[in-house]
Amino acid sequence: FHYGPNMDQEVDTAFEKYDTNHYKMVKALYNLMVAKNLNDGNLLKWTDPGTGEYVTLQPADLSWIEYYPATGVSGSEQYISTAQNVTSQVNDDVLTWSAGYGIGRHFRYQASPLRLNKNLIIDSASYLPTPTVASPHLRLMYYMSLSAGISVIVDGITWNKKTTKTTASTIEFRTSSGGVTLWTFSVPRAWDSADAEAVGLMQVKKSGNKLSIAVMIPHSFFASAQ
């Protein structure tokens, strides 16, 4: 993989120190600025080096949420944890916040040449409380902000940044002028140690003055996960 104006520089996705409180990754087809502390408020800034357009992401609350995929109706929420005051550990292209969501619940970013992998790692189902809501889904919430030239495409339609939209498809971030896809949220998936897999949903909505994107995985996966 190569990057740069002439695509003649070899990609290196290792995180490097930027300053006392941040890491950077700027030797790929996208640039990252990442705070060391998980609850920094603006943990991640993803920037397209060609246009300067950006998306910021802050992992927020982890909850059991009552959700009915067939109707799109949601109900009660059972709070589990929010992002903790935890400092990351760096290992080449991986940043890990051990116990970032409490004991047995960790958060990780791994940079690859084409995408950033965002992982919530749960040591075992015993580190999740028993859900008390009906039709439970585990939901990890992110708050996000977008540069002025970014449009969010959900199910092929430009999101108005007001109504709540739930999808089982990839969410695209495109340039408002030209419609070039700069970044995508792939369909969320969960795996256990026996390689059992579950496919989840994503939901974008306006939460107060903030935009948010939530990842939801059904409880049935965790009930039998190894």
Side-chain angles (χ1 to χ4, degrees):
F1 285 98
H2 292 82
Y3 75 103
N6 300 314
M7 298 297 287
D8 58 353
Q9 301 177 68
E10 189 170 350
V11 164
D12 182 358
T13 55
F15 286 102
E16 304 173 275
K17 180 179 178 180
Y18 176 72
D19 60 23
T20 304
N21 298 313
H22 296 84
Y23 289 106
K24 65 178 180 178
M25 194 287 294
V26 294
K27 299 176 181 177
L29 299 177
Y30 59 97
N31 293 343
L32 295 175
M33 186 74 67
V34 187
K36 292 183 179 180
N37 196 302
L38 187 59
N39 68 352
D40 176 81
N42 284 302
L43 179 69
L44 170 76
K45 184 175 183 179
W46 179 101
T47 304
D48 174 61
T51 63
E53 302 293 354
Y54 66 83
V55 178
T56 70
L57 285 175
Q58 174 60 50
D61 292 352
L62 179 69
S63 305
W64 289 118
I65 183 75
E66 180 182 1
Y67 186 74
Y68 301 91
T71 61
V73 173
S74 59
S76 301
E77 177 182 350
Q78 179 186 350
Y79 172 82
I80 298 173
S81 176
T82 194
Q84 302 291 296
N85 183 18
V86 173
T87 300
S88 61
Q89 299 149 356
V90 60
N91 181 10
D92 194 60
D93 60 356
V94 178
L95 291 175
T96 303
W97 290 266
S98 296
Y101 276 88
I103 296 173
R105 302 187 294 260
H106 320 290
F107 193 75
R108 182 176 70 189
Y109 282 149
Q110 182 168 8
S112 70
L114 298 177
R115 68 175 66 246
L116 175 71
N117 296 310
K118 301 166 288 296
N119 303 121
L120 175 67
I121 302 168
I122 301 170
D123 289 340
S124 76
S126 64
Y127 288 102
L128 291 172
T130 301
T132 58
V133 300
S135 188
H137 286 64
L138 190 69
R139 182 186 69 183
L140 179 59
M141 182 79 75
Y142 294 87
Y143 290 115
M144 64 180 176
S145 61
L146 313 171
S147 58
I150 290 283
S151 294
V152 182
I153 311 300
V154 183
D155 294 335
I157 300 172
T158 300
W159 180 44
N160 62 13
K161 302 178 185 176
K162 295 179 181 178
T163 55
T164 299
K165 294 283 290 182
T166 304
T167 183
S169 301
T170 296
I171 295 175
E172 297 184 37
F173 295 79
R174 297 180 186 171
T175 55
S176 299
S177 59
V180 177
T181 299
L182 300 180
W183 194 34
T184 62
F185 267 124
S186 297
V187 177
R189 285 177 164 81
W191 295 270
D192 72 359
S193 60
D195 291 329
E197 181 179 350
V199 178
L201 299 166
M202 290 182 290
Q203 186 177 80
V204 291
K205 65 179 181 177
K206 188 173 184 181
S207 304
N209 294 323
K210 298 179 179 179
L211 303 178
S212 69
I213 182 164
V215 173
M216 297 184 289
I217 302 290
H219 171 258
S220 56
F221 168 77
F222 300 97
S224 60
Q226 302 299 307

